[in-house]
Amino acid sequence: MVPLPLIRSSNALTPTHLPPRLTAVFLGATSGIGEETLYNLASGTLTLTPLIIFVGRNADAGARIEAEIRTRNPSAEVVFLRCGDLALMAETERSPRKVSSATPP
């Protein structure tokens, strides 16, 4: 297992070692670890203008999380994409097209 101090020191480098227009995509991030990771990304990229795209089934949770991310990092562009159950192959095939259409060329 990676020691926690090493993880923290690596995370501290995020604002200075990532491109200003970072694009991050999260699948199934409307609760639990995914939700917390979104919040940490938003808070840890205050010097950047990230594009944060997250995909999930729960539209109410998506709206709540989107608002919280905007509060934590007002310069972030945030996109929530509603999808069905990603355990289904059809949804797994549709989701990349949705993400692709939400990202700039």
Side-chain angles (χ1 to χ4, degrees):
M1 184 175 349
V2 178
L4 186 56
L6 183 59
I7 294 170
R8 287 187 174 143
S9 68
S10 176
N11 289 349
L13 296 174
T14 299
T16 59
H17 286 75
L18 293 175
R21 186 59 174 157
L22 171 73
T23 299
V25 178
F26 292 80
L27 302 178
T30 54
S31 66
I33 293 171
E35 180 179 356
E36 287 302 315
T37 303
L38 284 169
Y39 295 151
N40 282 306
L41 175 67
S43 298
T45 56
L46 293 174
T47 61
L48 306 176
T49 54
L51 168 58
I52 301 172
I53 301 169
F54 66 110
V55 179
R57 289 185 285 182
N58 187 329
D60 291 336
R64 176 182 52 77
I65 293 166
E66 188 174 342
E68 180 63 24
I69 292 170
R70 291 179 196 283
T71 298
R72 292 184 186 215
N73 186 342
S75 67
E77 182 180 346
V78 187
V79 178
F80 171 69
L81 301 174
R82 191 174 182 290
C83 72
D85 188 349
L86 289 173
L88 301 174
M89 188 56 70
E91 284 300 321
T92 303
E93 292 171 354
R94 268 191 288 270
S95 292
R97 286 192 295 274
K98 288 182 180 181
V99 169
S100 181
S101 69
T103 57

